Amino acid sequence: MHKIVGIAFFVFFTSVIQGQNLYLLNDSTHSVLADTFYIQEVDVLSPITQKYLVGSKTQLISPEQMEQMASQNLSDLLSTNTPIYIKSNAGGLSSFHFRGTSSDHTSVMVGGLTINSLTLGSSNPSNIPTFLFDKVNVLYGSSSASLGSGSIGGSIRLSSALNWTQGQKVELLASTGSFGAYTWGGKIFLGNGKFESVTRILSLEKKNDFKFKNTAIKDFSTGQFKTEKQKYASIDNMDVMQELNFKISDKESFTSMFWYTNSWHEVQPTIEANSSDTLIQQTYEDTHFRMWTNYKLQKRKIKFQLGAGYVYDDAISNGLQEESISTQRFISETSIQHQWKNFNYTIGAKYKHIVPDVYAYKNNPTEDRLDIFASLLMRYGTNTNVSINLRQQFVTSFSAPFTPSLGLEHNLWVQKNSVLKLSANIQKSYRIPTLNDRFWDQPNYKANENLKSEEGLAIEGGLKYTVSLEHFTLKSNIHYFYMDVDNWLMWIPKTEGWIAANILRVKSKGLEFHSDATIKLNKTNIQLSTNYTYNKAIRAASEIENDQLGRQLEYTPKHMANGSVSINYKEQGININGSYTGERYYNQAENKTLNDYFLLNISIYKYLKLKEHKLRMFLNINNVLSEKYQNEYRYAMPMIHYTLGIKYYFNN
């Protein structure tokens, strides 16, 4: 069905835009020596400004990286371009693991919405298409004082640019790939400079029937592991996003976003189950509707903001409607920002009303959450910036901690073409237990409404060096981080069944290095990027007898690195990317690890002018060396595979 809709979509809009001129969205850029803690106020979906996150490590995914992976998902984008470990299988399921934390310690934000599941606490980046967004900003480390519950390990901000389109612009995307993969999508921009409508749509279908060496099954006649085809791992996703934006005046605007997602996949079986003659299909379907509206008004040095949103999440296993897991949340937020001399400050409040409808909860209790927050940015001369963030959350029948933060940035050395900057940040963090943690009550599972918040203390510091010459630009930074999280939640077996409990204290520390370099030689641009992280994350204390104290946490590699070389000559280019993931423990009881692995990917593209239009053709080849590896214990991953696609740009 998605293919039929996709073909109709392409035929219709191709006929509409015949004769229109090319428009290629240009991402405006700052001087490389400008302040690194400001973002342009063109992000319609990201109302929280970054300027109060002084001392925190952030990484903005470049437009070139976004374009290269337009047909892929957020999991692919970040695992290729950041030192973040993403645990995943091939069947459409993945999760973030920032700095040794678990999947529910990372917040994913769109506008004023945190889109993490209220029942699970985590998000699935495999179901978030890169194509829908213009910017992806990664914030490393704790940010609970700025963003609220759950932001212990890190956060991801997804945003789209506010262009105030004049006329109409269209982008069309189509790709095909290995294992029955097919993607189509489009973006339609309509506007008159005062009103703008942006429609974004993407569909993905994938059979996922790749071949792999099954290390659980040996052919005794040859003594070799059997080669099998993956069963029951297909994916079928559809996303539609609509934005309606009104520019009332230069200092007053109203923006809105409506995002519908339907994600269906077969639950990938383990390599042992894949060989079973009794294997049956199991499915999982997620449906989401997310809405965010935002009103902004600026009067002299005062900025007023009022936002409202709604999120509906629904999950169904094996098509059993009677076992639906759904939640609704209603959100409102307001803030006032004022600038006085060298001081910027913001005060605000955010309210959420949560309504669960989960078959496994006895009473489906509603919940209210109110956040009161304040932020202060102080500038001392041209070289020093200090920020303070304060937040207190109030939750129905639950106690949440007060979370402050303090950040510092100071230019140690400033020359005509280079800057050396020192940064430091200290803050408290926390996470409210999920609804499942507190209310899931089924045979062999026991609800626990007496849980405490997970609470942490995070400290980090780093150096950033930037140099800009006529034909060469370099940005490098190195960060040290330390994190201590108490009341860490786990599900443990007891006589009455599995139950969530605050049983661990976890300590995580490490180093992160990031570097980007650009070399310009006549009509050739060369871009080099490098990431490396060392992360030691251990159980410092546990209430479980004979627990693995002092040992590295599960699915937390000590060493990770990736790097890329991009060469662009006129209208064509090539990107070579390599990533290394160290060994990982995969369960709590045994000292067994998954092997480390190295993946090599190559991307080739070329732009063609077709009269008044422009075409981008691309070929992505992943796992070029056919590395045999597991990212999750006993789940197969594909060897070499490709994506071949085209992208059209139209403008009027």
Side-chain angles (χ1 to χ4, degrees), residues 313-500:
D313 298 319
D314 183 59
I316 297 174
S317 295
N318 299 317
L320 299 175
Q321 295 285 346
E322 64 273 17
E323 295 187 359
S324 171
I325 299 174
S326 66
T327 60
Q328 297 181 79
R329 53 189 126 163
F330 303 84
I331 306 104
S332 60
E333 180 177 12
T334 185
S335 65
I336 296 176
Q337 182 181 155
H338 180 248
Q339 180 179 345
W340 179 71
K341 294 185 177 180
N342 293 329
F343 297 86
N344 278 76
Y345 62 88
T346 297
I347 57 173
K350 189 170 190 175
Y351 170 74
K352 294 180 186 177
H353 178 63
I354 298 169
V355 182
D357 184 10
V358 180
Y359 79 96
Y361 299 172
K362 281 189 175 180
N363 301 315
N364 276 307
T366 60
E367 185 167 284
D368 295 291
R369 301 182 182 183
L370 175 65
D371 290 64
I372 307 295
F373 56 87
S375 299
L376 173 66
L377 173 65
M378 299 167 283
R379 295 190 179 92
Y380 297 95
T382 59
N383 291 322
T384 305
N385 298 278
V386 177
S387 71
I388 299 173
N389 294 281
L390 308 172
R391 180 177 291 261
Q392 178 64 63
Q393 185 177 62
F394 303 92
V395 184
T396 304
S397 302
F398 202 88
S399 178
F402 173 67
T403 48
S405 75
L406 175 65
L408 167 71
E409 288 184 352
H410 177 69
N411 292 331
L412 296 174
W413 180 49
V414 180
Q415 297 294 320
K416 179 181 178 181
N417 298 313
S418 60
V419 174
L420 178 64
K421 178 174 290 187
L422 170 71
S423 64
N425 187 280
I426 180 170
Q427 65 176 289
K428 290 189 66 177
S429 59
Y430 74 105
R431 183 179 74 88
I432 301 295
T434 68
L435 298 181
N436 280 1
D437 290 335
R438 289 178 281 157
F439 304 120
W440 191 273
D441 201 334
Q442 288 286 288
N444 298 320
Y445 292 90
K446 183 68 174 176
N448 185 0
E449 298 185 34
N450 298 315
L451 292 170
K452 302 175 184 177
S453 295
E454 295 178 328
E455 296 188 40
L457 176 67
I459 302 171
E460 69 175 279
L463 292 171
K464 180 177 181 179
Y465 177 67
T466 304
V467 59
S468 179
L469 304 174
E470 183 178 359
H471 299 292
F472 176 74
T473 301
L474 174 67
K475 298 180 181 180
S476 295
N477 63 73
I478 186 167
H479 274 74
Y480 169 82
F481 63 88
Y482 172 83
M483 193 182 308
D484 187 342
V485 184
D486 204 3
N487 297 326
W488 187 291
L489 277 165
M490 288 189 66
W491 282 79
I492 59 174
K494 289 195 172 182
T495 54
E496 63 269 34
W498 286 86
I499 187 170

